[in-house]
Amino acid sequence: MAKLETANALMELREALKEKGAALSQANSPLSTIQVKVTMATCGIASGSKPVFEFMKDELSKRNIPAKVTQVGCMGFCYAEPTIEITIPGKSPVIFGYVNLKKADEIIEHFIRKGEEIEGSIQINYETA
Amino acid sequence: MAKQIRIALRNCGVIDPERIEDYIARDGYMALASVLTDLSPEAVIEILKKSGLRGRGGGGFPAGIKWEITRNVVADQKYVVCNADEGDPGAFMDRSILEGDPHVVLEAMTINGYCTGASRGLIYIRAEYPLAVERLKTAMGQSRSMGLLGENILGTGFNFDIDIRYGAGAFVCGEETALIHSMEGLRGEPTVKPPFPSVEGYLKKPTNVNNVETFANIPIIINKGWKWFSSIGTEKSKGTKVFALAGKINNVGLIEVPMGTTLREVIYEIGGGIQYGKAFKAAQTGGPSGGCLTVKHLDTPIDYDNLIAAGSMMGSGGLIVMDEDDCMVAIAKFYLEFTVEESCGKCSPCRIGNKRLFELLEKITQGNGTMDDIDKLRNLGTVIKETSLCGLGQSSPNPVLSTIDNFPEEYHEHVTGKKCRSKVCKSLMQYLVVADKCIGCTLCARNCPVDAISGERKQVHFIDQSKCIKCGACMDKCKFNAIIIN
Ligand SMILES: Cc1cc2nc3c(=O)[nH]c(=O)nc-3n(C[C@H](O)[C@H](O)[C@H](O)COP(=O)(O)O)c2cc1C
Ligand code: SF4
Ligand code: SF4
């Protein structure tokens, strides 16, 4: 990315990035898309989140489901790693725990594609500042 | 209201730690921008002082005051150090912040440089954290190329850059003076304070040392204001604390709760209760320097001062939960073993005293202790605390003293009854065959590694206590529950 020469340039960049981010999660925005976050801190990776991350990236694109798959740090649910968070545009995020490749496949087919409720979700028990 | 509020962890699990754009979209580097363009160093320090933020690395020293002290020393060069040594067994708060949100630490250190007059920062991180190191390096590269770190930051003329230094995993190197000596290429041994690092630190220059989590609170305090921050927490402990919740708890994990949350809320509401429905016995805070909290502390609001009053301390945030199966004498011995291993050996109370404490505990857990030994533990522990050079020795007897205070009956049972109620201390247990359950299948005898079991087929078997090494193999193998621990 280009060098920011002033504080104003930073603020402009932030506004542009924020708009893009907001548009991603709005149900009716032209940019809107499903967001998948895979926990890739040491705890997640040690429990096997790397293959899950690759699987989500590859399979969503193979199955023609437009989605943004990103790695993130620890969500705090170390007992249930690997954990992944799915946000369907216009809906609240849902976190799943103990995700292996089989579970990942179920999440893609049933939760994402068919919009069904499936087992294994973890209640988000915090607010974020 | 949610029991947890994520402030230091606000970006962890939310942003991609390897993308600076994600951080900026969450107001990243905005605090730095406003500090550099709108605020004087004094004004920033004033905000921090009013916020009530205290150091999260253990001591709980007010961050704003430390920054002010460093600022007020006149010197040609000053340094900012981020303490990412995180040596407490079972603690991983700092690692999670560095892995999930590395930019927040870079931003806060740069703000500190502006306030204290330092142009260089050093992150002292243990080499066992390769992923955190890698993400820090990626983040540093990104912020440099975007003009957020290095020369002429955001065109304001302010220069600040950061280097990484590696620790080799010695617990004592988390102590700030030892940490500084380690970075200077000297032995990682503490020196007497004063002089405090803020006055005379790295290469004898004023050095502001703060913990990772302390830094992670800074940008948001500037963005949201000290009033917001100080509205969270208790009178003397503001904001939140991240804990690594571990031990016999259902939901092992990383939590961030407002100061003043009770242990009951942490264990039963956030932690999902004790594993297998067992009874809660104690929680160790502050790792090897801390003490245990018990049932009578379940409703005490957790903050710096209440933990000290309860004979423990905040420490850096390890919180290990113990249940009825844990023996408190053995727990104290476990921590002492760690301390003996980690003592740098520079001063004799710590080097020799802790070894003696450990030996006394070993004697008690082996069934050879006397009531006199318990008094010795108490007296020696107190002397070690009062006479050791650094915080390691000054706090290492805490696990012993606090378990004696809170669980005197367990010590007495080990000494007078030669009994360990939790069935942990092997020397005090006996594996016995229950005569009317044993059908004489010989399975146990065939599995005993030391041939301690005798008995004819279809006859009741017998365990020779002088041979038994208490491995438990017989009990695991017996299909008739005929072997018990006495
Ligand atoms: C034996 C010992 C180990 C310590 N280990 C750490 C550590 O791993 N991380 C840390 O931040 N502080 C550690 N400290 C505390 C530091 O000396 C220092 O107080 C702290 O880094 C200051 O930062 P803060 O004011 O932001 O908490 C340790 C102290 C002692 C006595
Ligand atoms: S108290 Fe222990 S760790 Fe600290 S200087 Fe003395 S011997 Fe070293
Ligand atoms: S506990 Fe181990 S050593 Fe002792 S009798 Fe059983 S199998 Fe043998």
Side-chain angles (χ1 to χ4, degrees), chain A residues 1-21 35 37-46 50 53 68-81 85 95 98 122-129, chain B residues 1-7 9-22 24-30 33 37 92 95-96 99-100 131 135 144-148 151-156 220 224 228 250-255 269-270:
Chain A
M1 289 208 116
K3 203 169 181 119
L4 299 165
E5 305 284 353
T6 62
N8 272 339
L10 173 68
M11 286 179 211
E12 281 162 20
L13 174 62
R14 174 188 64 164
E15 291 318 312
L17 290 167
K18 271 197 171 167
E19 269 168 39
K20 208 168 118 202
Q35 292 181 71
K37 293 179 174 177
V38 183
T39 304
M40 297 261 273
T42 295
C43 48
I45 293 173
K50 252 185 187 158
F53 179 64
K68 185 170 171 252
V69 183
T70 48
Q71 58 164 353
V72 294
C74 180
M75 299 182 197
F77 309 105
C78 308
Y79 65 96
E81 293 295 345
E85 184 191 276
I95 296 181
Y98 307 104
I122 297 177
Q123 209 199 332
I124 301 175
N125 59 354
Y126 48 75
E127 293 170 11
T128 302
Chain B
M1 205 187 92
K3 293 282 174 206
Q4 294 195 65
I5 307 178
R6 290 187 139 209
I7 295 175
L9 297 175
R10 63 187 286 273
N11 286 329
C12 287
V14 176
I15 65 168
D16 181 340
E18 295 180 18
R19 281 171 45 92
I20 191 169
E21 298 90 326
D22 280 24
I24 292 174
R26 298 260 305 156
D27 300 330
Y29 291 105
M30 292 309 294
T37 53
F92 51 92
R95 188 191 71 206
S96 300
E99 288 178 353
L131 184 63
R135 290 197 175 147
R144 273 191 205 111
S145 69
M146 290 187 69
L148 294 161
E151 307 252 301
N152 193 16
I153 293 172
L154 287 174
T156 59
I220 188 147
K224 289 203 165 195
W228 165 77
N250 277 319
N251 301 347
V252 167
L254 199 64
I255 64 165
E269 292 181 38
I270 300 169

Side-chain angles (χ1 to χ4, degrees), chain B residues 416-444:
Chain B
T416 51
K418 308 295 173 205
K419 189 167 160 270
C420 172
R421 63 167 79 179
S422 313
K423 300 190 168 71
V424 172
C425 298
K426 290 202 165 159
S427 308
L428 302 180
M429 323 187 319
Q430 285 185 324
Y431 283 85
L432 295 177
V433 177
V434 183
D436 50 1
K437 282 193 177 169
C438 174
I439 63 151
C441 72
T442 76
L443 195 59
C444 59

Side-chain angles (χ1 to χ4, degrees), chain A residues 79 98, chain B residues 245-253 267-268 271-281 321-326:
Chain A
Y79 65 96
Y98 307 104
Chain B
L245 193 57
K248 307 281 180 62
I249 185 111
N250 277 319
N251 301 347
V252 167
I267 294 176
Y268 292 98
I274 308 291
Q275 281 176 353
Y276 310 113
K278 297 227 168 171
F280 165 76
K281 189 188 243 181
V321 177
M322 292 169 261
D323 70 4
E324 52 192 293
D325 294 340
D326 287 302

